[in-house]
Amino acid sequence: MSPLGLTIDYGPFAFMEAYDPRYTPNLSDSSLRYAYGMQPHIGKWNLHALGFALHRFLDTEGQLPQDDDFKPSVVSLLSQYDTFFQQSYDDEMGRKLGIDLTKLRNKNDHDDDDDDNNGEASLLERMLELMYVGKVDWTLFYRRLPYLDPQRTQPYQHIGELPREFLEVIMPNNEEDNPQQQQGKATAQADEDDEGLNEEWLAWVNDYVAIVREQRCQESSNPGTGSEQQQQEQKQEEEEQAGWVSLWRKSLFDANPRLVLRNYAAQQVISEAEMGNMEPLTRLYDSLKTPFALTSCEQQLLTSSTTTTTEAEGVDGKKDAGDLGYDDEFELPAPSWARLHAGIGQLS
């Protein structure tokens, strides 16, 4: 790690597709030292090594120390790492989820004695566990969160009520070679999958949209003086003017890319380029220039006040798989043929 806080690594690199804390793009990393879930620890270790390299030049008052013991200032700085990392992590993940995780954690700390608070106490941890068990696509999951409806007056009662755009991501059909064929089968698979996992996802979604509603409604109102009724009327008026649901959805689209450089797509264009066909490379390059660009469905979602999609229809009421938002060929998750392909699932 450099003094600028940048890690220097010339080893294998790849975007993580399905969430897996054990994921490492280097198959020689058998100990998983550099796996995704180990990054916080490795970051601290890198700072420890950097501190050890520089500590002899700190607190010297013009003279080099005679020993290799860490100086108090270095120890003090390293002791703050966990706090700084947790705050930065909460800020980043909060942006991806469209909620204030710091506020949520503080509320949970205050409610520690409440045994019924497990829905909020571990919202992030529950989500990551469900994503890991279900091998949920890391990129598409966050991009499909805006399809959920935080304005629902009643919780989602069963898994089939979830918007199809979201359901197809949390319950992909891993047996299909063509991911576009999965979309029309999301509901059927939801019925066949483990009911326990379905219920856990349903509980998480209901907790999540309730937190979104609670936090965003509070943010959209500015309590002033006057009676409680006046404040409530002011809050309702401001919410209607601000369109907080659309603002929340836009914040999610702004924070979460629709496109990343997927391993299989990179391998496909490399293979074509080696045979003299540069056109796929040009298409991929052009697509990656605008990773946050909205699809036609996403644009329509932002202009609508609520989501009414179900497993039977998309945002625009059509059943065509192309209307679910896969406007770009490189947005699709890795097909099954790519998972064991050299250079894609089998990295060096």
Side-chain angles (χ1 to χ4, degrees):
M1 180 175 287
S2 76
L4 296 177
L6 305 175
T7 56
I8 303 173
D9 185 358
Y10 297 98
F13 167 83
F15 281 97
M16 179 173 62
E17 301 232 2
Y19 172 69
D20 184 353
R22 303 173 303 169
Y23 173 75
T24 175
N26 188 348
L27 293 185
S28 65
D29 183 18
S30 58
S31 65
L32 302 182
R33 176 180 174 84
Y34 298 105
Y36 177 80
M38 290 293 291
Q39 292 303 299
H41 169 75
I42 291 300
K44 188 174 185 179
W45 185 92
N46 285 341
L47 287 175
H48 189 277
L50 179 64
F52 185 80
L54 299 178
H55 84 279
R56 288 172 57 83
F57 303 99
L58 302 175
D59 296 339
T60 62
E61 296 182 356
Q63 296 182 355
L64 290 177
Q66 301 301 313
D67 57 71
D68 288 332
D69 293 336
F70 267 18
K71 294 302 166 184
S73 60
V74 179
V75 175
S76 175
L77 287 172
L78 290 175
S79 67
Q80 301 176 48
Y81 174 86
D82 292 340
T83 300
F84 279 118
F85 177 86
Q86 187 64 62
Q87 183 61 59
S88 298
Y89 182 75
D90 283 351
D91 290 345
E92 180 62 24
M93 294 302 292
R95 285 181 62 247
K96 294 182 73 65
L97 291 170
I99 59 177
D100 189 332
L101 280 177
T102 299
K103 180 187 297 184
L104 184 60
R105 289 188 187 277
N106 292 338
K107 180 179 184 299
N108 295 334
D109 290 341
H110 180 73
D111 296 339
D112 271 344
D113 295 333
D114 184 359
D115 293 336
D116 295 329
N117 193 42
N118 63 334
E120 293 182 354
S122 57
L123 183 80
L124 181 59
E125 291 78 8
R126 289 162 58 205
M127 179 196 79
L128 293 177
E129 178 63 22
L130 289 170
M131 291 182 72
Y132 173 62
V133 172
K135 298 180 173 59
V136 174
D137 188 272
W138 180 253
T139 300
L140 290 181
F141 174 80
Y142 299 103
R143 191 71 180 190
R144 299 302 177 86
L145 285 175
Y147 287 92
L148 298 175
D149 181 13
Q151 285 186 311
R152 286 177 62 96
T153 57
Q154 297 294 329
Y156 292 102
Q157 297 298 320
H158 58 84
I159 201 74
E161 287 187 359
L162 297 180
R164 186 173 57 165
E165 296 86 351
F166 181 75
L167 186 60
E168 68 175 8
V169 173
I170 65 172
M171 293 182 175
N173 186 345
N174 293 326
E175 299 302 321
E176 292 293 340
D177 288 339
N178 182 359
Q180 283 187 319
Q181 296 175 1
Q182 299 173 15
Q183 302 173 78
K185 301 182 180 180
T187 304
Q189 181 172 344
D191 293 336
E192 298 172 0
D193 275 350
D194 179 72
E195 288 300 322
L197 186 61
N198 291 354
E199 292 302 318
E200 289 185 55
W201 267 122
L202 195 62
W204 183 88
V205 167
N206 283 325
D207 288 339
Y208 169 67
V209 295
I211 292 169
V212 170
R213 181 168 57 249
E214 177 185 352
Q215 290 190 354
R216 289 287 174 157
C217 282
Q218 290 176 353
E219 291 175 3
S220 65
S221 62
N222 183 20
T225 58
S227 67
E228 182 177 347
Q229 181 177 356
Q230 290 174 330
Q231 293 182 22
Q232 184 65 29
E233 292 174 352
Q234 178 185 359
K235 175 181 177 181
Q236 182 177 355
E237 180 180 355
E238 289 175 350
E239 287 176 9
E240 293 174 352
Q241 293 176 349
W244 68 267
V245 174
S246 293
L247 294 176
W248 167 72
R249 286 171 171 157
K250 185 177 185 303
S251 72
L252 287 173
F253 287 139
D254 289 344
N256 299 298
R258 180 173 57 87
L259 292 172
V260 295
L261 179 57
R262 294 183 181 271
N263 303 332
Y264 82 92
Q267 184 60 46
Q268 282 181 321
V269 300
I270 290 172
S271 298
E272 290 293 325
E274 290 176 339
M275 295 186 294
N277 182 11
M278 303 300 292
E279 199 269 336
L281 176 60
T282 301
R283 294 202 313 270
L284 176 60
Y285 177 70
D286 289 341
S287 294
L288 292 174
K289 288 180 181 178
T290 55
F292 292 89
L294 297 176
T295 67
S296 56
C297 278
E298 291 170 345
Q299 292 173 343
Q300 183 174 349
L301 184 64
L302 288 181
T303 61
S304 63
S305 59
T306 61
T307 303
T308 58
T309 58
T310 67
E311 67 279 8
E313 59 181 5
V315 172
D316 53 6
K318 298 180 181 179
K319 298 181 181 180
D320 185 357
D323 293 317
L324 285 177
Y326 285 136
D327 284 11
D328 195 297
E329 60 184 306
F330 302 113
E331 181 185 356
L332 300 173
S336 60
W337 62 261
R339 298 186 186 108
L340 297 179
H341 193 286
I344 304 177
Q346 297 294 319
L347 303 176
S348 60

